[in-house]
């Protein structure tokens, strides 16, 4: 006897939108939902399995029996099976038993489940995203914090390895324990946002979360959905934005996941040239199928809506947009125009960006992790762009790290690796990442990428951070980089916080705090970060001295800073062209004893009425070795109090 009652949450309009690929809140309809029918409380189940012969709900409530609770197929050719089971409540474990056209019976977890088990069975759990949020003030004003003319300094972290239990390094901190430690730390460091590597449910720890099975489930490794909400809520209440990594590019082939969900290639193309990822041994979403587009765009909406995310960083966009990504000739099929662009993925990304910005406006940010020169990623869709808010500046990252690996003796041969970014830095809205990807798989930690002995390594990384924080664009720094983690990142263990007992690591951490302070409180460094008014080279071609000089400018006339990078270990008296009527004062020196540098002061030695560097006057300044120096300009019309760094 079938114990399932008829019930539906779908209207005819819902079904129409679903078939058209325009239903962007499917999480309100599909999945498991606590409801009441005829005074009876229970759970409504609905799942998309259009090629199934039979679908039943199995779980701990029926001893995983395939025949007791059979769902009803809708008669509207939507492919949705649904029904109501009396007496079930939150915490019930379940799966769908799907009988295929080939006679198989597949046991699948719910693609829309809000919680999953942490074991091999990986059953879904009837759950809820109900939570009493306390971040109303943040939500109402966050457009100011997420705008393009606001400072955006992001701390990227992996929840499982940022910090672990002191008494048991094998045990994760849970979401609430992380909140108690992370919030004050991010505040102290001065970051404006955090970015969490994927928090969606995933079965395989070494994937770091990038092989997702439960797209709508916060991973239960660290607690319940409400515990993650508590963490986000606490960050928001302390004026810290939250960006989540999101992976609409692929999914693993786990037997209880999306692969061959109803016995057919439902979420992925059947043709392996489009549907299988050779690098990650995973499956690519079918972006041309309307129901799949609705699944993914609804998923993005879900994290913005239910978890109050402020941004999504979209992973692996390059692989999505290119049909020949990581494929040899003959292993991919050109598009209808003979090119290598995945037109369906491009259209999906455009639709995703239009949908989330229409729903949430400038309160949120979408960020593309994209390493090619695909054009117009951050341009509006109505202008032919893809519609992202920002793009990771991968070229800058690779060129910069390659430069800093070079011995200073050889840097003159690589001088323009640091200037090249200025050729394209306004083509897109860029975020400058020094991310987790750069400190894994034998690439070494950030500090050990630097050239030289220990003193030079720390001096180099201090200059690198000065260059990053004073360059146009938003900023992103991976956990551990802020204090000079010496080991490569290892997802199985905590960061080496004990390093902070050593002065050089303390000094580097303090330098990052101060750079965040300058970046956040001096508008010249952020309000023009995405337009050409904010940057000017003074000296870009001094190969022999490996010195770089540039200006950062705010919107007010006279709100100008000069940055000087000396990328050799030599003390230099250096002559720089300046404009008439200006006065310069040093406000920051990466070689300061405060940061455990050598303590050489960047003294302005003299100012002359001599034309230099195509400017009417010049000044001579002593540059400390391997240093980044920031000077603030004062003019007769623009005089403000010199910035005073907080005492630490």
């Amino acid at each position: 006897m079938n114990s399932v009652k008829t019930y539906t949450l779908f209207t005819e309009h819902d079904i129409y939108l679903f078939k058209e690929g325009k239903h962007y809140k499917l999480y309100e309809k599909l999945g498991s939902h606590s409801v009441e029918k005829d005074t009876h409380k229970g759970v409504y189940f609905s799942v998309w399995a259009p090629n199934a012969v039979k679908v039943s709900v199995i779980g701990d409530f029926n001893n995983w029996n395939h025949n007791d609770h059979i769902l009803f197929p809708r008669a509207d050719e939507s492919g949705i099976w649904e029904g109501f089971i009396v007496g079930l409540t939150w915490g019930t474990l379940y799966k769908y038993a799907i009988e295929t056209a080939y006679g198989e019976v597949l046991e699948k977890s719910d693609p829309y489940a809000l919680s999953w088990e942490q074991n091999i069975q990986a059953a879904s759990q009837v759950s809820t995203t109900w939570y009493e949020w306390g971040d109303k003030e943040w939500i109402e004003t966050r457009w100011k914090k997420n705008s393009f003319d606001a400072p955006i300094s992001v701390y990227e972290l992996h929840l499982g390895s940022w910090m672990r239990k002191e008494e048991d390094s094998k045990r994760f901190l849970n979401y609430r324990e992380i909140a108690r430690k992370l919030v004050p730390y991010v505040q102290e460091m001065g970051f404006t946002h955090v970015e969490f590597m994927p928090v969606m449910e995933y079965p395989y720890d070494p994937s770091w979360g990038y092989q997702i099975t439960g797209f709508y489930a916060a991973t239960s490794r660290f607690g319940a959905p409400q515990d993650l909400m508590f963490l986000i809520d606490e960050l928001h209440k302390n004026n810290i934005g939250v960006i989540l990594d999101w992976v609409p590019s692929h999914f693993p082939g786990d037997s209880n996941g999306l692969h061959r969900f109803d016995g057919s290639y439902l979420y992925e193309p059947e043709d392996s040239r489009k549907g299988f990822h050779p690098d990650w041994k995973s499956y690519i979403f079918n972006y041309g199928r309307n129901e799949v587009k609705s699944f993914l765009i609804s998923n993005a909406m879900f994290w913005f809506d239910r978890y109050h995310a402020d941004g999504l960083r979209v992973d692996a966009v390059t692989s999505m947009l290119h049909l020949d990504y990581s494929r040899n000739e003959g292993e991919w099929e050109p598009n209808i125009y003979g090119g290598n662009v995945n037109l369906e993925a491009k259209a999906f990304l455009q639709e995703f960006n239009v949908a989330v910005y229409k729903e949430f406006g400038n309160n949120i940010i979408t960020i593309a992790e994209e390493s090619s020169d695909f054009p117009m990623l951050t341009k509006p869709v109505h202008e032919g762009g893809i519609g992202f808010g920002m793009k990771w500046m991968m070229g800058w990252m690779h060129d910069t790290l390659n430069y800093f690996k070079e011995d200073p003796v050889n840097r003159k041969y690589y001088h323009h690796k640091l200037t090249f970014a200025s050729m394209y830095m306004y083509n897109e809205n860029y975020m400058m990442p020094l991310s987790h990807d750069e400190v894994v798989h034998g690439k070494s930690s950030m500090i050990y990428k630097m050239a030289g002995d220990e003193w030079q390594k720390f001096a180099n990384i201090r200059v690198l951070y000065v260059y990053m924080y004073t360059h146009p664009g938003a900023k992103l720094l991976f956990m551990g980089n802020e204090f000079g983690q010496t080991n490569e990142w290892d997802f199985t263990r905590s960061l080496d916080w004990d390093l902070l007992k050593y002065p050089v690591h303390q000094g580097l951490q303090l330098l990052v705090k101060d750079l965040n302070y300058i970046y956040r409180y001096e508008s010249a460094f952020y309000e023009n970060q995405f337009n050409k008014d904010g940057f000017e080279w003074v000296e870009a071609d001094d190969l022999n001295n490996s010195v770089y000089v540039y200006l950062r400018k705010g919107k007010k006339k006279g709100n100008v800073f000069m940055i000087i990078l000396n990328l050799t270990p030599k003390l230099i008296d250096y002559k720089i062209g300046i404009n008439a009527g200006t006065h310069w004062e040093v406000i920051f020196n990466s070689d300061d004893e405060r940061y455990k540098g050598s303590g050489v002061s960047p003294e302005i030695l003299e100012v002359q009425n001599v034309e230099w560097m195509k400017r009417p006057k010049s000044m001579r300044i002593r540059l400390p070795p391997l240093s980044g120096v920031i000077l603030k300009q004062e003019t007769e019309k623009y005089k403000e109090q010199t910035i005073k760094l907080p005492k630490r």
Side-chain angles (χ1 to χ4, degrees), residues 492-511:
T492 67
R493 56 189 292 269
S494 171
L495 295 178
D496 294 323
W497 294 101
D498 285 350
L499 289 172
L500 285 169
K501 65 187 178 185
Y502 300 108
V504 287
H505 294 275
Q506 294 173 13
L508 181 59
Q509 186 188 52
L510 178 56
L511 175 124

Side-chain angles (χ1 to χ4, degrees), residues 303-315:
W303 292 100
F304 285 128
D305 176 15
R306 298 292 176 86
Y307 283 85
H308 291 200
D310 302 292
L312 292 180
R313 176 265 198 187
V314 183
D315 185 63

Side-chain angles (χ1 to χ4, degrees), residues 142-153 192-193 365 390 473-475 519-520 523 525-530 555:
R142 63 177 172 169
W143 62 270
K144 299 177 183 177
K145 311 291 177 61
N146 294 330
S147 72
F148 290 155
D149 57 359
I152 297 178
S153 179
T192 64
H193 294 68
I365 316 169
M390 295 185 198
K475 325 297 176 190
Y519 174 57
R520 290 177 65 174
S523 59
F525 289 108
Y526 62 79
E527 63 186 4
N528 284 325
Q529 61 190 339
F530 299 124
K555 292 181 178 179

Side-chain angles (χ1 to χ4, degrees), residues 607-642:
V607 175
Q608 296 180 318
N609 290 317
V610 176
E611 183 178 344
W612 193 253
M613 296 178 179
K614 299 181 180 179
R615 296 169 192 270
K617 298 180 66 175
S618 65
M619 71 177 179
R620 193 162 56 87
I621 183 171
R622 177 174 295 127
L623 297 179
L626 284 174
S627 65
V629 177
I630 304 175
L631 298 87
K632 184 171 184 177
Q633 173 184 291
E634 286 190 359
T635 66
E636 295 175 358
K637 294 183 178 180
Y638 186 87
K639 291 185 179 180
E640 290 188 358
Q641 183 178 357
T642 300

Side-chain angles (χ1 to χ4, degrees), residues 84 180 224 239 256 266 300 323 328 356 401 424 456 472 488 506 587 616 621:
F84 173 77
R180 287 192 286 271
N239 291 313
N256 55 13
L266 193 62
L323 294 165
N328 298 317
V356 296
L401 293 179
Y424 63 89
Q456 288 196 6
E488 273 195 349
Q506 294 173 13
I587 65 162
I621 183 171

Side-chain angles (χ1 to χ4, degrees), residues 89-148:
T89 186
W90 295 342
T92 300
L93 297 176
Y94 72 99
K95 281 187 169 183
Y96 297 117
I98 300 175
E99 184 177 328
T100 76
Y102 306 102
E104 303 169 277
V105 178
L106 307 175
E107 294 188 357
K108 293 288 188 177
S109 300
D110 188 345
Y112 291 84
L114 303 176
S115 296
W116 286 43
E117 274 189 306
Q118 278 294 315
N119 55 30
I120 294 175
Q121 176 177 264
S124 303
Q125 187 174 43
V126 178
S127 189
T128 177
T129 54
W130 180 88
Y131 180 78
E132 287 193 39
W133 287 90
D135 63 350
K136 180 180 179 182
E137 183 177 349
W138 169 268
I139 295 296
E140 290 177 346
T141 61
R142 63 177 172 169
W143 62 270
K144 299 177 183 177
K145 311 291 177 61
N146 294 330
S147 72
F148 290 155

Side-chain angles (χ1 to χ4, degrees), residues 1-4 53-71 81 85 94-100 103-108 121:
M1 178 180 175
N2 188 12
S3 302
V4 176
V53 173
K54 184 176 78 172
V55 178
S56 58
V57 183
I58 59 175
D60 55 358
F61 61 94
N62 66 5
N63 293 317
W64 307 94
N65 188 304
H66 292 186
N67 298 311
D68 287 353
H69 295 86
I70 302 169
L71 297 178
W81 298 69
I85 302 176
Y94 72 99
K95 281 187 169 183
Y96 297 117
I98 300 175
E99 184 177 328
T100 76
E104 303 169 277
V105 178
L106 307 175
E107 294 188 357
K108 293 288 188 177
Q121 176 177 264

